[in-house]
Amino acid sequence: MERNEGETMNVDIVVIGGGASGLAAALSAKDETNSVIVLEREHVLGGILNQCIHNGFGLHVFREELTGPEYASRFIEKFHAENIDYKLDTTVLSINKPDDCFIVEAYNNEDGALTIHAKAVILSSGCYERTRGQIKLPGARVAGIMPAGSAQRYLNIDGYLAGKDVFILGSGDIGLIMARRMTLEGAKVHGVAELMPYSNGLTRNIVQCLHDFDIPLYLSHTVTDIKGTKRLEEITIQEVDENYQPIAGTEKKFSVDTLLLSVGLVPDTMVFESMDLTLSPITKGAIVDHTYQSNIPGIFACGNALHVHDLVDWVTIESEKAGASAKRYVAGEIKEERNNLTIEPREGIRYTVPQSIDMNNFKEPVTVMFRVTNKYDVGTFTVKQGDTIIQQKKARFIAPAEMESLMIKPEQLIDQTTPITIELEVK
Amino acid sequence: MSVKSMICIVCPVGCHVSIDDNHTVTGNRCKRGETYAIKEVTNPTRMITSTVKIKSNLTTRLSVKTSEPIAKTLIFEVMDALNSVEMQAPVSTDDVVIKNVLDTGIDILATRTILE
């Protein structure tokens, strides 16, 4: 790595974010011939895994059950062993590509303003939680209402219990995990309300976090009123109809001091605001081809910054692929001219990642991750080109909360131009 | 004969399994599901993960876990035991935080390395 006048650095690959995704991407991007730097905004590597102290991580990658910090440390140790460059407490301010090289502007207290020139950028900055404003929660604007992940950080990193009488809106995994966690630490969790007729969390979390502690789950319910003067004092929940509208007469009131929101995560792509990065309206992350390259040549995306995952194992596997692609890109091994064959979600499928296969660089089988739109016991995923079925896969206990995947091989395609479609058939 | 339905939580697949009075298990996709179902009706256990206080320059909490699943009935007693512990950095992953907690033969282990 070269340093010019102590403030401008030249590297091959900049990795934005040093959590599960960035660590895996950097490890697979680095070789003897290139230079890689990871920029991390927190004081430690590991990202959100550090506050996810519960176990259940690593069953697919390590064939054992680890806690979040243990999973992170496996990668942090490898990362240090490889001597990959990194900067902590560093915030990326902007990314631009005025000519053939990226200019990453960043800041930290030690270096001050930093300018990094890079050939490729890997976006692995994770996701953020949807807040009260984003779901238009009605009622008083009082203290004690916060995203579940914030309460998780206060408790597991800082050592503060956010409240004593808790209600949780949304049955996403963080909400379920926090229901158990706050119960263990002495809070009374009065219930979890979920707008949908099914939970958005993993089944095992419903069992381990709610059933184990007799915490009621109110499906097809939402919070319709919030009362309090300074601190939250009372919430009202109501059942909703099929159009998600509250049904009169179904009001239930709970005296609580804390309302945790577990109402969805959104990929964090804000550092690319200055560039014309094409985002998917569904995933809110970049649209990528099978090399995880976005519409902007040299920008690769992976992990929760690309689409929100339910298991960190899939983040790792995906980010390793994105890192390997970035390495090939800077080595000139990915053909610049692209010929994208789209993968289109059809009946029963919400989205796919990647959204296309670049036929000019398609040699190895490609794993397509996707989510379904509804919950079914059994179904068949059918991959087609036009009317021709190129692959079918049966699945059981299909749910929007659980990511599905299938593999498309080069030899399966009937031609290079007919878009690939994936649909779900249920009996 | 009574049949108890449950969701296996050994892995994220979450098989819907049933177990009858003779401990005949159905609906499991692997052997671990059978073991789990029998255990759930005889001696249910859970891994406990939590934090303890730590004196460190970097943080105030050290994440910990039970070395193996512990009887479900002991969960809150273990939580009380964790409240009485204060560690001092440096601590490494897998260091013993409490040896033989509540005479169960199970240890409380650190799950994070905090060097300073």
Side-chain angles (χ1 to χ4, degrees), chain A residues 406-422:
Chain A
L406 50 80
M407 198 172 264
I408 297 177
K409 296 175 184 151
E411 62 268 24
Q412 288 177 325
L413 298 188
I414 55 164
D415 63 45
Q416 307 246 323
T417 51
T418 312
I420 299 164
T421 59
I422 301 180

Side-chain angles (χ1 to χ4, degrees), chain A residues 157-214:
Chain A
I157 304 289
D158 303 325
Y160 298 105
L161 190 63
K164 292 280 168 60
D165 284 283
V166 182
F167 198 90
I168 298 171
L169 175 59
S171 62
D173 286 310
I174 312 169
L176 300 175
I177 293 287
M178 283 309 290
R180 172 177 61 186
R181 184 77 188 108
M182 294 193 74
T183 304
L184 288 179
E185 291 294 352
K188 162 91 180 152
V189 178
H190 294 253
V192 177
E194 170 58 54
L195 184 68
M196 305 300 286
Y198 50 83
S199 164
N200 282 311
L202 297 174
T203 339
R204 68 195 308 246
N205 285 336
I206 303 280
V207 176
Q208 285 178 318
C209 302
L210 300 186
H211 297 179
D212 269 9
F213 300 98
D214 297 321

Side-chain angles (χ1 to χ4, degrees), chain A residues 346-357:
Chain A
R346 290 288 163 84
E347 189 66 35
I349 309 294
R350 206 164 138 251
Y351 74 80
T352 72
V353 168
Q355 287 90 348
S356 66
I357 293 178

